Amino acid sequence: ENMKLRISVLVMAVLINSQFMLAQAKGEKSPEQVKAEVLKRGTGEKAKVKVKLRNGSEVKGYISKADQDTFDVHGKKNETVTLAYADVLSLRKPGMSTGAKIGIAAGIGAAVIIAAAAASAMASLGP
């Protein structure tokens, strides 16, 4: 009885963790993380970014200015968009990184393997 409880707690922990990993893999960030990322990239034409906003829109360009609560992205059509860190869902270099692809695949693979192991452990315990 105690063993079953422990396994279900383990399965719950894995599910919660894989949700968290998936959110991380999708690149959802807190405003503080976004700000840190913007400041790390700096400003200028080499600081190219692809920004996904919480409202579903996307902004591409380079970071031209970073302030306390907002940052500016200078786009291809010579327009500058001011974005609040809190409105940003993800911020990355244009094009999905290989690391992100591998992270997503690894996270899904690990969740499947652990779920299968937990299921066989449950089966071997019997009713």
Side-chain angles (χ1 to χ4, degrees), residues 5-18 114-115 117-119 122:
L5 183 67
R6 238 198 321 241
I7 290 171
S8 61
V9 167
L10 178 75
V11 171
M12 284 299 292
V14 167
L15 290 175
I16 291 166
N17 198 25
S18 64
I114 293 167
M122 292 287 229

Side-chain angles (χ1 to χ4, degrees), residues 33-66:
Q33 286 174 309
V34 173
K35 184 176 180 179
E37 189 108 344
V38 167
L39 296 176
K40 187 176 81 180
R41 285 172 196 268
T43 58
E45 293 184 30
K46 285 192 166 45
K48 285 187 171 28
V49 287
K50 181 172 158 188
V51 184
K52 276 204 169 111
L53 300 175
R54 295 193 184 279
N55 67 9
S57 63
E58 206 171 77
V59 179
K60 285 183 194 165
Y62 66 85
I63 302 166
S64 56
K65 190 172 99 184

Side-chain angles (χ1 to χ4, degrees), residues 59-110:
V59 179
K60 285 183 194 165
Y62 66 85
I63 302 166
S64 56
K65 190 172 99 184
D67 290 320
Q68 195 61 36
D69 301 306
T70 62
F71 66 103
D72 291 356
V73 175
H74 188 83
K76 284 191 173 79
K77 298 181 197 104
N78 235 6
E79 81 287 8
T80 299
V81 186
T82 300
L83 303 169
Y85 298 118
D87 293 339
V88 175
L89 194 62
S90 71
L91 175 128
R92 59 176 187 225
K93 286 190 173 108
M96 188 178 197
S97 70
T98 312
K101 287 179 190 165
I102 293 169
I104 291 169
I108 293 170

